[in-house]
Amino acid sequence: MIIGREEEQKILRSAVQSEYSEFIAVYGRRRVGKTYLIRETFGYKFTFQHTGLAKGNTKEQLFSFAISLRDAGYDDCPIPKSWLEAFSLLSNFLKNSTDEKKVIFLDELPWMDTSRSNFISAFEHFWNGWASARKDIVLIICGSATSWIINKVINDHGGLHNRVTQQIALQPFSLRECEIFAQSKGLEMSRYQIAECYMVLGGIPFYWSLLEKGLSLAQNIDKIFFSKNGKLSNEFNQLYASLFKSPEQYINIVTALGRKKAGITREEIMTATNQQSNGALSKVLDELEYCGFIRKYNGYGKKCKQAIYQLIDNYTLFYFKFIQQNQNNDEHFWSVSIDSSMHRAWSGLAFERLCMAHTQQIKAGLGIAGVLSNVYSWRKEADEYSSGAQIDMLIDRNDQIINLCEMKYSLTEYAIDADYEKSLRNKKAIFIDTTKTRKAVHLTMVTTYGVRRNTHSGIVQSEVTLDDLFL
């Protein structure tokens, strides 16, 4: 059963109904469910399907391609000596197919592009010289190496320029989709537990599939990450190696970003990683953004050149914070630290990231889903005239209102005390004074269970709770 993915399924199914041949590129990070989506949508029935070999050389890739043709019904298929010959064999096989729409699924396509194999030129020739001239072909390519698909296919300036008719950048699950997934597995989890699990795993379906019935959330995390044979204990290096051919520079950048909660500028990245400001750095940053590891945002009132880059991938941040530093090899690390100050500090920051990933749900919770708005962060450094202030989420609305969002993660209703009320008043005043905004500024609390009513809670104009994030 496919959970969510309605729009993606609609794109795939509509391709079969098209009066022309369609070329669809599906990409996204490792374990996000790309192959599962395609196979389930088409009921595992393709005219031809093939998966590239991880780390296979050209000869091995071509042999494997011939085996897939034989599996599809080309009984006497010879072993091709080049990719031109391989795609010629595929063309001949498809000509003889009686399928009304010939659906071709090439999975892990980047793995087929081995050194000096001339794969791309042969692939271009197959589509441009044969498939696109017909009306009965649906070609679906897929791969975790998002950077390869973006650079070699979607943004190609050669033979594949503008040839992709549809592209699907498959995103992680939302909280609501994770809740449905957990229910489908029979996991007894409250929304509070689902949120905390999301703060560790993100919305990656494969990671969620590792959760076991009968274990508490803490026990599951211990088993997945910290046990001797934990299935995600070595995921970090595999994750980046699967996406990027030279993962070291990507890891260097996310490591630098992982040290700064609010993110850093391009210049600060260059300083932290000893990289030059050139096209190569831009390419790495763009690819990390495509894959959903980082986000690029402009501070409120700032120019594009002052953009901030922030690490937002939950798994990577959890790895840096806990797995990389787990030098004692404690297999019950998470269970024993559940009430520690370290856990509380992490959960507060992780909840902020969860909120950042659900800005559309926050807008819906505020009743402004239909109002044109932009989400920013804002900060002002302290100077001789005033103290500093930082706002991690600011919703600038076209109806002349700005929501300054404060995010707090707690087991019960969040109680605002006198000191925090003063801090909120100062933050709001500094923002208004510094930006000179003429819009109404509303303080908004995003919390797990709401704000407790007391003598200090009147400063809050609007609230969003954890339940709203599941919309």
Side-chain angles (χ1 to χ4, degrees), residues 141-302:
I141 67 168
C142 180
S144 294
T146 298
S147 60
W148 188 96
I149 291 180
I150 293 290
N151 296 320
K152 295 288 187 75
V153 180
I154 295 173
N155 291 339
D156 179 62
H157 297 294
L160 291 176
H161 181 64
N162 282 340
R163 295 300 192 267
V164 172
T165 57
Q166 294 283 353
Q167 54 180 293
I168 298 173
L170 198 60
Q171 301 299 317
F173 278 167
S174 65
L175 273 173
R176 175 59 182 153
E177 289 166 333
C178 287
E179 181 178 48
I180 296 171
F181 187 87
Q183 290 169 349
S184 73
K185 284 178 58 67
L187 300 172
E188 299 293 335
M189 298 175 72
S190 67
R191 285 188 163 178
Y192 186 91
Q193 291 171 321
I194 290 171
E196 178 147 327
C197 191
Y198 196 97
M199 285 148 55
V200 176
L201 302 178
I204 306 303
F206 175 77
Y207 296 171
W208 283 76
S209 73
L210 300 176
L211 300 173
E212 294 183 16
K213 291 171 60 176
L215 297 181
S216 69
L217 176 58
Q219 288 171 329
N220 262 311
I221 292 174
D222 277 333
K223 185 170 184 179
I224 293 170
F225 289 102
F226 301 107
S227 66
K228 186 175 182 180
N229 296 309
K231 292 184 178 178
L232 293 182
S233 59
N234 296 313
E235 171 73 1
F236 182 81
N237 290 326
Q238 294 176 12
L239 173 61
Y240 286 88
S242 72
L243 292 167
F244 312 112
K245 282 193 173 180
S246 301
E248 295 78 13
Q249 57 185 331
Y250 299 85
I251 292 173
N252 287 342
I253 287 176
V254 297
T255 300
L257 293 174
R259 299 189 186 108
K260 297 289 185 179
K261 174 182 82 79
I264 55 179
T265 65
R266 181 188 176 96
E267 288 71 25
E268 289 170 325
I269 291 172
M270 290 160 49
T271 301
T273 60
N274 294 317
Q275 294 204 41
Q276 300 296 315
S277 180
N278 52 31
L281 177 59
S282 297
K283 180 172 172 286
V284 171
L285 291 171
D286 286 345
E287 290 172 2
L288 285 168
E289 190 174 3
Y290 284 138
C291 293
F293 288 104
I294 68 173
R295 73 176 182 120
K296 176 185 177 183
Y297 68 93
N298 294 322
Y300 181 76
K302 299 290 186 180

Side-chain angles (χ1 to χ4, degrees), residues 50-69:
H50 174 68
T51 301
L53 293 176
K55 299 181 181 179
N57 60 35
T58 302
K59 186 177 180 180
E60 292 167 334
Q61 300 285 355
L62 290 168
F63 182 84
S64 176
F65 195 83
I67 297 301
S68 293
L69 277 168

